[in-house]
Amino acid sequence: MSLQTAEQNLLEESVAEAGEPSAKPVKIGIRNVGKVFQIRGSDRPFTAVQDVSLDVREGEFLTLVGPSGCGKSTLLDLIAGLTSPTSGELLIDGTPIDGPGLDRGIVFQQYALFPWRTALANIEFGLEAKAVPKRERRERARHYLDLVGLDGFEHRYPHELSGGMRQRVAIARSLAFDPDVLLMDEPFAALDAQTRESLQEELLRIWEKTNKTIVFITHGIDEAVYLGQRVAVMTSRPGRIKRVLDIAFDSREGDLRADPRFGEYRHHIWTLLRDEVAAAQEQERTIG
Amino acid sequence: MADETTLTAAREEAGEAKPAAAPSAAPRGDAPTDDDRATNFFKVAGRRRTPVASRLATVVKRSLALVLLAGLWEVLPRVGAVDAVFVPPLSEILVAWYDMLLAGQLPEHFQASLIRSLSGFGLAIVLAIPLGLAIGWYRPVADFLSPVLELFRNTSAVALLPVFILIFGLGETSKIVFVFYACAWPILLNTVSGVKTVEPLLIKSARSMGLGPVRLFQKVILPAAVPTIFTGIRLAGAYSILVLIFAEMVGAKAGLGYLIQDAQFSFRIPDMYAGIITISALGLLFNLLLLSVERRFSTWRTS
Ligand SMILES: Nc1ncnc2c1ncn2[C@@H]1O[C@H](COP(=O)(O)OP(=O)(O)O)[C@@H](O)[C@H]1O
Ligand SMILES: [Mg+2]
């Protein structure tokens, strides 16, 4: 019963906060976006995401949670411009997204580093695409390697680095070409708990320092609450936005996870997700 | 303060990563992935990390079989366990080899073979790699050429030798074309599969950074395909000598294959064995050379 009231309080708060006029302009606008896949060998279209509307403001850190297979990665691909929506529209700075660009950087769960390039050369990759002169490329790559705490590892190949270090390189690579938006698809999911926590902290530090707009997909509720200023919860497939929660702590000092509000947020999202996860599992059973 | 956390974090991770990274600090060529038995002997001899004693032991163990083989080859004919006429003792063969070397016979045949196999092999590299890249990358090219390729791929090169001789005569051209044909397949097929099996996530990642098709090909597809292409090249290197010897046995007036065949016909048995040993050495040398080039091109390779 007490939980119920806590939830109620949180909800009222988020409504109140969402109602306030926000100073920052909208960076990413997602308007009634749907994505339907044509499955080979089947005439039944496959709806991955449906009628998603969401605004991400400039400099915001938004986390996105949802049951597996609900269309999170699909949504990220759409924002990245790697695929186009079958309905609705996506805007960046008010103009429709038309293909990928260096104004958005992606960090994948599986790092996606080029194995034939050293850490430094990997970070330079996007700068080459941007036609930055060689000397400046080197300098900038070194700078970002330092930023993610990997100075001294510039000449290592990806297979000579641990998982956490690889993801640091991948983050540095995306930061190096200085995109406004960082799209992260479960970037820490493959790491052990300790490495994940230290990378979470660093990501927050980098975000505060660089003012990027970050969309961060995770299936960890803790991670979503810890990192996000807002948490968007998606429904099971076809993915829609079920609820967007504002996360606000009085202070981020100390152990945030021990804060009672942390637990409240966590529980609230867990409740929202529970039914969706059950629905997703049911779906998988009936399809399989 | 923030920087401090970064550094410690990095250090922690570095520490945790070290055991994993340690093997790669050993000379790269030592990666136990190379299935090449022929070259293993040399690689083991060059290993650095193992203690001196165990290294020595390995060298002895590895050369033991060879020494034993040489010893048996020397002794068995001498004691009459095998017919010394058909299998002369090793020392006689080495003497024959040395004599042919001094007489200039061996260098002449060696050169003839080398030029033919290198020409055919080189031609195959120059033509099959671009073709393979085109097939692997452009769907229409693949669709167009697939049926023809499928047909020829299942036609043995050896079966086509008479055709080559018919068209190009008994001279150098038919032999080079023959070697080229045999070498082209492993290179072509490996290049195609190298291009087709590039990790899709890498392509996605590069596309997300705004790379167009040309740059994507140049910066991602090509480097990713290099190891697979090299596997094909190394296979082709072995083929180039293998099939050439066959061609030289069928119809030639020079070359190691001719030398072996001729020596057998005129019953110069030690000369025949000397020719065979030379071919083995050539094959080994070729493979070593290609391996070292390959290593230079793919230092990053893990498995
Ligand atoms: N290119 C595609 N073609 C067909 N179906 C796809 C494609 N990409 C994703 N899907 C399907 O869309 C659904 C959502 O996928 P995804 O966005 O990867 O989910 P999530 O990232 O939330 O786990 C899944 O059922 C997946 O199988
Ligand atoms: Mg996903």
Side-chain angles (χ1 to χ4, degrees):
Chain A
M1 217 172 66
S2 66
L3 274 173
Q4 198 84 344
T5 39
E7 222 169 87
Q8 210 56 39
N9 285 343
L10 278 172
L11 267 183
E12 272 155 23
E13 256 176 41
S14 23
V15 168
E17 262 165 342
E20 275 170 29
S22 190
K24 291 287 174 77
V26 173
K27 187 73 192 175
I28 304 165
I30 304 170
R31 305 281 147 76
N32 309 103
V33 163
K35 178 73 185 177
V36 179
F37 287 113
Q38 225 53 55
I39 304 289
R40 252 183 311 132
S42 155
D43 45 358
R44 214 153 42 106
F46 183 94
T47 309
V49 291
Q50 195 174 50
D51 197 29
V52 169
S53 292
L54 184 68
D55 280 345
V56 186
R57 297 195 171 271
E58 212 172 282
E60 186 183 2
F61 199 133
L62 178 102
T63 51
L64 189 65
V65 290
S68 121
C70 76
K72 302 183 293 294
S73 299
T74 303
L75 195 59
L76 208 74
D77 283 356
L78 287 166
I79 302 173
L82 289 166
T83 52
S84 43
T86 27
S87 58
E89 64 170 354
L90 290 115
L91 308 167
I92 188 137
D93 294 321
T95 52
I97 290 174
D98 170 31
L102 288 168
D103 54 341
R104 285 149 289 155
I106 312 189
V107 178
F108 299 96
Q109 180 187 330
Q110 299 303 333
Y111 325 124
L113 296 177
F114 302 107
W116 56 89
R117 285 174 168 247
T118 60
L120 204 62
N122 258 291
I123 300 175
E124 282 182 47
F125 192 90
L127 299 173
E128 287 169 27
K130 218 175 174 177
V132 175
K134 192 171 170 65
R135 268 185 67 110
E136 197 191 327
R137 230 158 53 201
R138 267 284 124 105
E139 270 167 37
R140 266 217 249 172
R142 272 183 200 285
H143 168 78
Y144 282 98
L145 201 71
D146 283 0
L147 185 74
V148 295
L150 279 182
D151 47 328
F153 291 89
E154 37 275 85
H155 302 302
R156 292 279 190 98
Y157 286 96
H159 74 88
E160 298 169 322
L161 299 170
S162 70
M165 292 160 100
R166 285 183 213 182
Q167 198 54 288
R168 285 164 195 269
V169 174
I171 291 171
R173 178 176 66 183
S174 284
L175 289 171
F177 52 82
D178 199 24
D180 298 336
V181 176
L182 215 51
L183 305 170
M184 310 183 84
D185 194 349
E186 306 195 19
F188 306 150
L191 306 175
D192 62 88
Q194 258 172 313
T195 310
R196 176 161 55 235
E197 277 187 24
S198 78
L199 273 169
Q200 284 169 351
E201 244 168 79
E202 266 185 71
L203 181 63
L204 282 178
R205 179 180 63 82
I206 289 168
W207 169 63
E208 275 158 16
K209 205 163 158 178
T210 57
N211 266 320
K212 305 278 178 215
T213 308
I214 299 182
V215 178
F216 187 108
I217 293 177
T218 174
H219 59 239
I221 301 177
D222 278 11
E223 188 169 62
V225 175
Y226 183 73
L227 291 174
Q229 291 176 299
R230 286 195 299 158
V231 179
V233 181
M234 281 180 82
T235 65
S236 58
R237 198 180 55 78
R240 275 157 291 141
I241 302 292
K242 180 168 184 160
R243 187 80 54 84
V244 182
L245 284 175
D246 285 285
I247 306 291
F249 293 104
D250 300 329
S251 147
R252 287 194 70 98
E253 294 297 306
D255 185 2
L256 203 65
R257 292 174 179 88
D259 192 311
R261 302 194 75 177
F262 192 97
E264 286 165 17
Y265 286 129
R266 191 186 181 291
H267 179 74
H268 188 188
I269 294 168
W270 181 82
T271 319
L272 286 170
L273 272 175
R274 187 181 47 190
D275 303 337
E276 299 306 328
V277 171
Q281 277 165 356
E282 186 55 38
Q283 256 173 13
E284 255 167 41
R285 252 195 303 269
T286 50
I287 290 170
Chain B
M1 198 188 79
D3 280 324
E4 241 171 60
T5 39
T6 318
L7 278 176
T8 39
R11 251 184 239 124
E12 268 162 32
E13 264 186 62
E16 139 214 326
K18 236 158 219 154
S24 59
R28 292 245 163 65
D30 283 334
T33 51
D34 272 306
D35 46 13
D36 237 271
R37 254 174 280 126
T39 49
N40 260 349
F41 168 70
F42 295 89
K43 283 193 292 181
V44 170
R47 184 161 292 176
R48 230 197 290 138
R49 280 271 156 146
T50 43
V52 181
S54 82
R55 198 200 327 161
L56 256 173
T58 324
V59 171
V60 170
K61 231 190 297 175
R62 287 288 171 146
S63 26
L64 198 63
L66 279 180
V67 172
L68 207 66
L69 179 69
L72 283 177
W73 197 343
E74 183 64 33
V75 174
L76 290 184
R78 286 202 187 281
V79 299
V82 295
D83 194 335
V85 176
F86 296 135
V87 187
L90 183 60
S91 56
E92 272 178 41
I93 291 160
L94 293 178
V95 169
W97 188 86
Y98 190 65
D99 286 345
M100 281 202 291
L101 183 70
L102 289 189
Q105 217 174 336
L106 200 60
E108 179 200 322
H109 290 300
F110 185 83
Q111 193 189 350
S113 288
L114 197 66
I115 289 176
R116 286 167 188 155
S117 69
L118 283 184
S119 306
F121 177 60
L123 214 60
I125 290 180
V126 170
L127 295 178
I129 293 180
L131 185 64
L133 294 176
I135 293 172
W137 190 233
Y138 295 109
R139 198 58 213 250
V141 180
D143 289 344
F144 177 68
L145 286 178
S146 276
V148 184
L149 292 179
E150 213 43 52
L151 183 69
F152 275 96
R153 174 194 162 169
N154 288 301
T155 309
S156 147
V158 173
L160 285 177
L161 181 59
V163 180
F164 292 140
I165 293 175
L166 212 58
I167 297 173
F168 300 106
L170 267 169
E172 296 303 293
T173 317
S174 66
K175 291 181 189 62
I176 291 173
V177 170
F178 180 56
V179 171
F180 159 74
Y181 183 85
C183 290
W185 289 108
I187 299 177
L188 185 73
L189 297 176
N190 274 283
T191 306
V192 172
S193 96
V195 171
K196 281 196 166 165
T197 55
V198 176
E199 168 69 50
L201 187 63
L202 293 183
I203 297 176
K204 191 173 173 182
S205 170
R207 278 220 302 133
S208 80
M209 286 184 263
L211 266 73
V214 177
R215 301 252 265 164
L216 184 68
F217 185 80
Q218 175 201 348
K219 290 197 176 279
V220 180
I221 308 293
L222 209 53
V226 161
T228 322
I229 295 176
F230 255 108
T231 307
I233 290 180
R234 224 144 45 81
L235 263 176
Y239 285 4
S240 75
I241 293 165
L242 217 71
V243 301
L244 177 68
I245 300 304
F246 176 74
E248 287 175 344
M249 285 182 167
V250 172
K253 291 188 196 65
L256 293 170
Y258 165 78
L259 172 70
I260 294 167
Q261 189 82 336
D262 186 51
Q264 196 239 346
F265 280 156
S266 44
F267 225 73
R268 289 180 282 119
I269 302 301
D271 286 6
M272 181 189 83
Y273 281 109
I276 294 173
I277 289 179
T278 311
I279 288 166
S280 303
L282 178 64
L284 205 63
L285 206 76
F286 216 36
N287 203 330
L288 277 180
L289 206 76
L290 290 174
L291 260 180
S292 74
V293 176
E294 179 178 5
R295 230 170 269 158
R296 187 155 290 222
F297 271 96
S298 44
T299 42
W300 52 272
R301 216 173 151 194
T302 42
S303 56

